[in-house]
Amino acid sequence: MGSPKAKQALERLGNDIRAARLRRGVAVADLAVRAGTSPSSISRLEKGDSGVAIGTLAEVLVALGLIERLTDLVDVRKDDLGLALAGERGPRRGRTFAARLKSQKAKSSKGEGQQDIIDPDGAAF
């Protein structure tokens, strides 16, 4: 269930959370109360159990004062592969809502059939 790499990463994460808890001198039961979860969930998290919810992980990190580490987990500014692939594709231009609305109004005024007109307030007719 899961790749060996994922299992290894979760075990390392669990060990790091345990180490952070112990350095702070916080018991499992106290951390569970602070995070709004059960002591068994804390133990499972520290063992690298993949069934622990990400919300539980976030609450534990808040309780330990490490929540900013979660937000840095997948920093797109440091995604070398993603940045390289985006650079190869070049810039992509999209049409704004105003441009689509203008285009639809122009088509409907020319009588090119009965197409839906988008209302600026979000309702379609």
Side-chain angles (χ1 to χ4, degrees):
M1 314 201 166
S3 69
K5 286 184 178 184
K7 182 177 168 84
Q8 188 178 38
L10 288 173
E11 287 174 359
R12 181 174 173 205
L13 175 65
N15 288 333
D16 290 346
I17 289 173
R18 182 175 192 275
R21 177 182 60 79
L22 292 174
R23 285 185 184 148
R24 288 161 176 74
V26 178
V28 170
D30 292 335
L31 182 58
V33 169
R34 292 178 189 175
T37 190
S38 66
S40 64
S41 291
I42 301 297
S43 296
R44 288 176 40 224
L45 180 63
E46 290 182 353
K47 290 178 184 174
D49 184 347
S50 63
V52 178
I54 193 165
T56 301
L57 170 63
E59 291 299 330
V60 166
L61 292 176
V62 167
L64 293 173
L66 298 170
I67 191 63
E68 71 279 351
R69 303 289 298 274
L70 183 60
T71 58
D72 291 338
L73 189 61
V74 182
D75 187 353
V76 295
R77 294 175 299 260
K78 297 177 184 174
D79 179 14
D80 295 332
L81 177 60
L83 290 170
L85 291 171
E88 286 178 6
R89 280 188 251 135
R92 296 181 67 191
R93 294 183 60 182
R95 294 189 67 187
T96 65
F97 176 77
R100 284 196 319 264
L101 183 61
K102 185 177 177 181
S103 173
Q104 284 185 350
K105 283 184 179 180
K107 285 180 182 178
S108 66
S109 67
K110 291 181 182 178
E112 292 182 353
Q114 298 286 39
Q115 293 185 353
D116 288 344
I117 297 175
I118 298 175
D119 182 33
D121 295 325
F125 300 97

